[in-house]
Amino acid sequence: MDESFRKDLTHLSWDEVYARQVKRAHLVDAWMDSMRLKTGDRVLEVGAGPGYVSLMLAARVGPEGCVYAVDRSSQALSQLERLQQEGGISQIRRIVADAATLKIADLRADSALISMVLHHAEDPAGILNNVAQLLGPGALAVVAEFHPEGPCEQGPPRAHRLRPEQVQAWAEDAGFLALGYRRQTPEHYMVRVQKNS
């Protein structure tokens, strides 16, 4: 498994990435509930990929809300664009950018989701730092990752997994308050944080 894993996902097609996102659908409601996501909210999604989770977020916030779907791959976001067109979904704003350096003046998010992306990043702490700058005081965020003590039947190999304590430390250094940690499955965990006021 180590030989086939590449941080930049070049070993997979975007259809394969989408299929992996679908397999994690059972985790998403807990992420949205932890962000207290509701109709009309504006949510920043880091590492949206081909967009399965983006579509779930869009359904929760409704046409009055907005999902800022950020990914470094224009090809992944083109796939999301096609899905939006097929479903008549206009409340997703696709942004091709590196989340560690993203600067958009009119991006006003109430919360953020950073799911299954930090283990792919060259600068995971930088992503958390930048997301903190894009959120207002008191905003909630969820960071979801693969647990290093999981069975490694899905997701990255153990050597590429991030310990929850490391994620919490990066988040606190970025200006977040760690509110809680939850092991969602043997493979997956989530950390809930809040931007300091």
Side-chain angles (χ1 to χ4, degrees), residues 7-62:
K7 286 180 85 163
D8 63 3
L9 289 176
T10 54
H11 60 296
L12 297 172
S13 72
W14 288 114
D15 285 335
E16 289 172 314
V17 174
Y18 189 86
R20 289 182 177 201
Q21 291 179 329
V22 171
K23 283 184 179 176
R24 295 194 293 265
H26 62 288
L27 306 172
V28 181
D29 279 340
W31 301 342
M32 294 191 293
D33 290 346
S34 292
M35 293 185 291
R36 297 188 189 142
L37 203 60
K38 62 189 183 307
T39 301
D41 279 357
R42 300 174 310 257
V43 58
L44 171 64
E45 183 193 7
V46 173
Y52 181 78
V53 175
S54 308
L55 298 172
M56 292 184 73
L57 295 171
R60 177 73 72 102
V61 302

Side-chain angles (χ1 to χ4, degrees), residues 5 7 33 35 43 55 60 64 67 86 88 95 103 112 137 147 164 172 180-181 186 190:
F5 177 78
K7 286 180 85 163
D33 290 346
M35 293 185 291
V43 58
L55 298 172
R60 177 73 72 102
E64 307 83 22
V67 178
E86 289 171 2
I95 302 169
K103 299 281 184 268
H147 203 288
E172 288 171 352
Y181 156 82
M190 58 180 277

